[in-house]
Amino acid sequence: MSTTLPLFWPLSSASIDERLDASVKLINGLQQFQDSKAAAPAESDASEDDSDEYEDKGDSTKKLNEDLNSEDVKYALRRLIRGLASPRESSRLGFSVALTELLARLNTVDAAGIVSSILEASVTSNAMKGQEIRDTLFARLFGLTAVIQSDLLFRTSRLTTSLSAPNESGPAASTLAAFQTAITELINLGEKKSWLRESSWWSISLALKYLYSTQGLEWKDEAIEWMVETIYRGDQAKEWTPEKLALTLAFQELVPNQSWKDILAPTFRNQALVSSPNLPAIARILKETD
């Protein structure tokens, strides 16, 4: 890690050019380490194979991912995720850009594992001061957004099971459960702090667009139906905000065949959100926003 360690510091630079340059060098360096690991002879241990028989699927997948990543990549993933909680805005930006690009390149990590790592690294507690809570919540937001923008959350390929045999496929890189966890956490962030709501729902809208545009995703239809149920029914049914209005506009454009008249009732009279009968309700929502 002696080669990549110095590259983490410039990620916190106030200069955009320096951050981007450091990010490019870091990711290229990590790619070289990963390629070197792929070229190295595979190590096997019969006793480990026997013990794996008794591991559950989640543990096996996690162990598989760890074994396939070089030590530098494993360290980088941990440090980039933890660095998102830095009190310096430039650090969050630099680390999130690097994390997004790294996740986009790796075919040895799965969405569920990365989302879990982000959530574990961004837990708040009553012992934290206000600034620490703020930084930790931002870390969760930036981390989940990185998973979305890297396309890992919607990847249709399967994990590589052996770097020496990349054509051998393993578990799915993305799952419906991982998608649901990410969206649920973003909704919770917006509910927890009003000043995070706009950014959280922007990330949800981004996730919807990625979801819709991804071809060959087996669980796409299930995910869309789940989003409708989660956002427009149940506890969220009567709660309308400008952010939810914006998401609905995108939703209607991407998925026009939904039963929008039933979904929007009774808050809105017309299934076309931006229409004359709905303007009074829209005005009220915009006016009542804190």
Side-chain angles (χ1 to χ4, degrees), residues 65-260:
N65 296 347
E66 291 177 347
D67 290 344
L68 292 178
N69 290 321
S70 69
E71 291 301 319
D72 292 81
V73 168
K74 287 188 280 189
Y75 172 80
L77 285 171
R78 291 194 301 270
R79 181 160 180 178
L80 290 174
I81 289 174
R82 292 173 182 172
L84 297 175
S86 170
R88 298 176 58 186
E89 181 180 0
S90 55
S91 294
R92 285 196 297 268
L93 294 173
F95 276 65
S96 63
V97 168
L99 178 62
T100 301
E101 183 61 27
L102 181 58
L103 294 178
R105 293 199 188 190
L106 292 176
N107 61 351
T108 53
V109 295
D110 64 310
I114 296 299
V115 169
S116 176
S117 296
I118 291 169
L119 298 182
E120 290 175 2
S122 56
V123 176
T124 58
S125 68
N126 294 331
M128 288 182 171
K129 297 180 180 178
Q131 182 64 43
E132 292 176 313
I133 293 176
R134 177 179 177 275
D135 294 335
T136 303
L137 293 178
F138 268 123
R140 180 163 294 197
L141 172 64
F142 275 66
L144 293 174
T145 303
V147 179
I148 294 171
Q149 291 186 310
S150 69
D151 204 32
L152 176 60
L153 197 59
F154 315 95
R155 196 166 293 171
T156 56
S157 61
R158 306 187 78 83
L159 293 178
T160 297
T161 58
S162 172
L163 293 176
S164 59
N167 292 329
E168 294 183 9
S169 59
S174 65
T175 62
L176 175 61
F179 175 81
Q180 291 172 332
T181 299
I183 299 302
T184 299
E185 290 300 328
L186 287 170
I187 292 175
N188 291 340
L189 277 176
E191 292 180 344
K192 187 173 295 185
K193 298 293 182 181
S194 60
W195 42 267
L196 276 175
R197 187 170 58 208
E198 181 178 353
S199 298
S200 297
W201 282 77
W202 177 85
S203 294
I204 295 172
S205 297
L206 187 66
L208 172 63
K209 294 174 183 177
Y210 271 85
L211 174 67
Y212 182 79
S213 63
T214 303
Q215 301 299 319
L217 193 61
E218 296 179 355
W219 43 269
K220 178 193 289 189
D221 292 340
E222 293 179 75
I224 290 175
E225 289 301 323
W226 176 83
M227 286 189 74
V228 170
E229 288 293 325
T230 301
I231 295 172
Y232 299 104
R233 298 191 174 103
D235 296 337
Q236 296 284 333
K238 296 182 179 180
E239 183 176 347
W240 281 88
T241 63
E243 293 75 25
K244 188 173 177 178
L245 289 174
L247 176 67
T248 304
L249 286 174
F251 222 140
Q252 286 191 326
E253 181 180 355
L254 295 174
V255 193
N257 295 329
Q258 283 286 339
S259 55
W260 288 108

